[in-house]
């Protein structure tokens, strides 16, 4: 499987602008710029997209883990907080609120740890990864 996305940038780093597109059209000429990356401008930015990818990947991996142990989740709400300092992605801190019936805290913690370490995006990221969670 190969997935792709296209970025088009025009102009200088600070004054320029760009847009991102994906074949699924979830991103369809979605704007990004210096202000959407480093200030509060309209549009997305690479770090926000990494955060979305990590939160989504982790949630799906954890769902597979839980379902494989016969504890299909009612809901997994995951937010990734990406720390971007000195031009480097330093950390992804995942905050999870989970609704899973019948599972022990110990088993849940084990499956969370596995998802943290083994979702494909976690494996691709060269940064500190941490998870905090609330169960039920």
């Amino acid at each position: 499987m190969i997935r792709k996305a296209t970025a088009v940038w025009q102009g200088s780093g600070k004054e320029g602008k760009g847009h991102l597109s994906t074949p699924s059209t979830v991103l369809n000429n979605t704007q990004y710029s210096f202000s959407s990356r480093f200030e509060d401008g309209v549009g997305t930015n690479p770090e926000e997209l990494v955060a979305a990818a990590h939160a989504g990947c982790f949630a799906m991996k954890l769902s597979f883990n839980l379902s494989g142990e016969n504890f299909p989740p009612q809901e997994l709400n995951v937010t990734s907080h990406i720390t971007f300092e000195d031009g480097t992605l330093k950390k992804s801190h995942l905050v999870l609120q989970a609704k899973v019936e019948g599972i022990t805290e110990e088993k849940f913690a084990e499956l969370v740890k596995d998802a943290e370490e083994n979702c494909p995006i976690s494996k691709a990221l060269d940064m500190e990864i941490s998870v905090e969670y609330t169960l039920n």
Side-chain angles (χ1 to χ4, degrees):
M1 171 176 28
I2 296 175
R3 298 290 187 202
K4 66 180 184 172
T6 302
V8 175
W9 187 264
Q10 298 167 325
S12 69
K14 191 163 187 176
E15 288 80 26
K17 62 183 178 179
H19 62 269
L20 304 166
S21 296
T22 58
S24 68
T25 69
V26 168
L27 297 175
N28 188 11
N29 293 318
T30 302
Q31 80 176 40
Y32 75 113
S33 65
F34 179 89
S35 67
S36 69
R37 189 171 194 187
F38 298 107
E39 298 166 355
D40 288 325
V42 175
T44 191
N45 59 71
E47 293 74 31
E48 180 178 75
L49 296 171
V50 170
H54 198 202
C57 184
F58 173 83
M60 188 175 276
K61 175 63 175 162
L62 181 56
S63 178
F64 276 116
N65 288 354
L66 290 163
S67 297
E69 296 288 332
N70 293 314
F71 297 107
Q74 290 175 291
E75 182 174 282
L76 302 173
N77 183 323
V78 183
T79 302
S80 170
H81 301 264
I82 293 288
T83 302
F84 182 55
E85 293 175 351
D86 302 321
T88 303
L89 297 175
K90 300 282 189 178
K91 180 177 184 177
S92 178
H93 180 66
L94 299 165
V95 178
L96 164 65
Q97 294 176 328
K99 293 180 185 174
V100 184
E101 296 298 321
I103 194 167
T104 65
E105 183 78 25
E106 181 179 278
K107 186 64 173 178
F108 186 74
E110 172 191 322
L111 298 175
V112 165
K113 186 66 174 170
D114 180 78
E116 173 189 342
E117 294 174 351
N118 293 304
C119 90
I121 299 297
S122 287
K123 288 181 173 185
L125 295 175
D126 183 20
M127 69 173 85
E128 179 185 342
I129 297 170
S130 60
V131 178
E132 70 178 90
Y133 65 82
T134 306
L135 176 60
N136 297 323

